[in-house]
Amino acid sequence: MSTGAYRESYDRSMADPEGFWLEAAREIDWITAPTRALDDSRPPFYRWFPDGTLNTCFNAVDRHVAAGRGDQPAVIHDSPVTDAVTTLTYRQLLVEVQRAAGVLVAHGVGRGDRVIIYLPMASEAVISMLACARIGAVHSVVFGGFAPAELAARIDDALPTVLITATCGIERGRVLPYLPLVRAAVERSSAREPTVIVIARPQQVEPLQDHEIDWETALAGAEPVLACTEVAATDPLYILYTSGTTGKPKGIVRDNGGHAVALRRSMTEIFGIRPGEVWFTASDVGWVVGHSYIVYAPLLTGCTTVVYEGKPVGTPDASAFWRVLAQHRVSGMFTAPTAIRAIKKDDPDGVLLAGHDVSALRTLFLAGERLDPDTWQWATDLLDVPVIDNWWQTETGWPIAANPVGTEMFPVKPGSATFPSVGYDVRVLDARGTPVAAGVEGAVSIKLPLPPGTLQTLWGDDDRYVDGYLAACDGYYSTGDGGYLDDDGYLWIMGRTDDVLNVAGHRLSTGSLEAALAGHPAVAECAVIGVADELKGQVPRALVVLKGATQLDPAAVATLRAELVQRVRDEVGAVASLRRVDVVDALPKTRSGKILRRTMRQIADGVPAPVPSTIEDPAVLQALTEVLTSPSSS
Ligand code: COA
Ligand code: AMP
């Protein structure tokens, strides 16, 4: 670490991306080493390491065993909800992955075939992902908190050969059966029915149906896959669906080669973690943070990764993370600001840290949503280690901006994610696509090409990729976030400029929630907005207009509200956390019929909300102001 090291690295990544990334690629074991970094022959579709071949699972598991790490813990599954801690060394992980790959092959999965993984935070989630990578199959992990309709949409898009699930997840002492959800999703889906492989958890014993296969039985009969399949660096490793503004999820496609290179590099150069160290990301494998920093980056680096099946609070209390840090001698931790806010709420003075020796911890990293300065200060004071904000998204797979502590640590400005990471040419643009001056807010954009490890396209939909991300300004990727660069070059992210919701670090689409509400027979139209929330950063609020001149008495309104909340739980999932529904007479719109969600959100959050000149009827907005600013529903 030396002064100027970041600037030197960053400038080189801009001036000589070819040399920079080919050098970074040396940290990966290739079958055929790439001779070229960037393939820019088909803009705006850029590809990295076009002539390289490798296997990601080999890099995450096999090579560490070969290099003498066989007896080092690879995965520690720490599960307060099942009261168990189990460790797999790299050698044991290799055996488990080889067997799981055998199950997939036995059920017809080959290179390029898709496998949906709908699992709680069990070791099998990691094993299944790596097993797919081993045979060149493409995994698509779906967050367990999503309801059947969301799972069905992903099945319809990915067309999986196999779906791996478990009999249940466990949420703060409650057993949540998964099979009814999976069966409903398969039923709803119009795709060919995948083979469903089920991990039987003792907390929920359930007889299987005809087309369902028991994981243990399948493992017993499977031939382990000893060799890793050679794939092109540009072949897809996974699809991860994320929310846009419409109800249809977007399948982010990640490659093998660029992903391995970028993630491996990020662990040492951004996060400052060395091979052999213990790393703990408290998130879920269903989100990108889980993909990148529970599974791939730590394993590609030869670290020990803690897979935690629990919550920051309530499993059993707000000391849960401190216990994990102490018990496993964790060097680096990553989570979402919401998790820290939840701990702070339950234990404002941090007294529960006492008795836990967290002295191995060097750094806490927070991302997934805006890190508010209060939370940053609280965590900094309590843990007495640098607390590092980093900003990125499912699409990019690794930080677009961070304080790169592994290269050089800069003074923290709370609320800023610090500087762009190597390879990211971040510009703030105005509505015409012109870069704005320092301190002026605009659309945070990245000049193409994006660096290795970022999305290649949307699964099966190049047009939507171009329209959704590249069309706003020629030659730039639009992040969907607004923000500014200050005079010192620090990047400040101010929030989404579209209608994407971010609830407790979980990204949700207004469109999915609105579709669920609109399906209720009494609803004529509706809008969902994300409003500020002390704990979850943002929570959804729904405004519904009823059909005809429906006049309901208070009891009927209460019933309707409960039905609408339930609909969202059933169609999107409990994780949407919709609690408040207001029945209103009309929704404010522009003359072209676009609902003014942003203006309503600003009013609800109490920030200045300029009335758009295109508004159809200002009286509608005026009438809503009271509802939007009122602390309880109308
Ligand atoms: N499977 C099934 N249901 C799930 C689920 C999962 N994997 N994850 C959450 N849910 C359910 C919860 O049980 C809850 O249901 P309920 O309304 O019936 O109680 C609902 O979804 C909302 O869950 P959650 O967002 O976890 O809210 P909470 O109030 O239970 O807990 C926090 C609040 C702050 C503790 C929690 O949001 C948290 O741990 N946040 C960390 C954020 C994080 O890791 N984000 C990942 C991106 S980095
Ligand atoms: P996801 O794709 O689920 O990771 O969500 C990405 C979005 O979360 C980004 O576009 C931002 O709006 C928000 N986000 C993630 N990290 C940060 C951060 N450090 N600061 C501010 N917003 C963030």
Side-chain angles (χ1 to χ4, degrees), residues 38-307:
L38 178 65
D39 172 6
D40 57 1
S41 59
R42 208 170 56 95
F45 299 95
Y46 298 93
R47 296 290 179 262
W48 288 94
F49 310 113
D51 59 355
T53 66
L54 77 163
N55 182 280
T56 296
C57 176
F58 180 85
N59 276 278
V61 188
D62 303 48
R63 69 164 169 165
H64 301 310
V65 178
R69 287 192 190 281
D71 295 327
Q72 179 195 311
V75 174
I76 299 175
H77 178 235
D78 186 308
S79 172
V81 297
T82 59
D83 199 19
V85 176
T86 39
T87 300
L88 287 172
T89 63
Y90 270 101
R91 199 186 316 283
Q92 290 166 329
L93 178 63
L94 176 59
V95 171
E96 294 300 324
V97 172
Q98 288 171 335
R99 295 172 69 211
V103 170
L104 293 176
V105 170
H107 290 93
V109 180
R111 182 175 166 189
D113 291 338
R114 274 79 58 212
V115 173
I116 284 193
I117 299 172
Y118 184 71
L119 283 176
M121 285 289 289
S123 306
E124 286 86 352
V126 181
I127 293 167
S128 306
M129 291 164 78
L130 293 167
C132 291
R134 190 170 195 83
I135 60 171
V138 179
H139 61 71
S140 186
V141 183
V142 179
F143 175 58
F146 278 128
E150 294 285 334
L151 179 56
R154 286 151 176 81
I155 295 174
D156 282 340
D157 200 65
L159 305 177
T161 309
V162 160
L163 187 156
I164 303 176
T165 189
T167 48
C168 66
I170 301 146
E171 281 283 303
R172 292 208 220 172
R174 269 183 306 152
V175 171
L176 301 178
Y178 271 27
L179 280 178
L181 306 177
V182 170
R183 287 170 187 157
V186 170
E187 175 82 35
R188 271 177 98 127
S189 153
S190 48
R192 193 171 59 88
E193 203 169 306
T195 301
V196 177
I197 302 179
V198 184
I199 294 157
R201 302 194 94 190
Q203 293 79 9
Q204 177 78 22
V205 178
E206 200 159 327
L208 299 186
Q209 295 182 351
D210 276 354
H211 61 288
E212 295 166 348
I213 289 160
D214 173 62
W215 171 262
E216 285 299 330
T217 313
L219 280 176
E223 187 69 30
V225 177
L226 302 181
C228 295
T229 300
E230 178 175 4
V231 299
T234 54
D235 279 351
L237 169 68
Y238 69 75
I239 308 166
L240 177 56
Y241 287 90
T242 189
S243 303
T245 45
T246 70
K248 190 177 185 301
K250 304 193 279 196
I252 303 300
V253 180
R254 192 90 63 214
D255 67 0
N256 274 273
H259 173 256
V261 171
L263 261 58
R264 171 66 192 86
R265 191 189 178 286
S266 74
M267 269 317 255
T268 34
E269 311 298 320
I270 298 180
F271 297 103
I273 294 295
R274 295 177 292 266
E277 292 193 303
V278 184
W279 171 260
F280 169 31
T281 294
S283 177
D284 188 288
V285 283
W287 306 110
V288 72
V289 170
H291 277 64
S292 294
Y293 293 104
I294 293 174
V295 184
Y296 286 112
L299 295 179
L300 286 164
T301 308
C303 294
T304 300
T305 184
V306 179
V307 175

Side-chain angles (χ1 to χ4, degrees), residues 120 143-146 169 171-172 174 176 178 282-284 287 289 310-313 334-336 338-339 342 367-369 503-506 535-536 569 573-577 579:
F143 175 58
F146 278 128
E171 281 283 303
R172 292 208 220 172
R174 269 183 306 152
L176 301 178
Y178 271 27
S283 177
D284 188 288
W287 306 110
V289 170
K311 295 270 172 178
V313 294
F334 193 140
T335 191
T338 303
E369 57 181 316
V503 180
H506 305 143
L535 175 65
K536 298 195 175 185
R569 289 177 74 89
V575 72
S577 300
R579 303 265 186 273

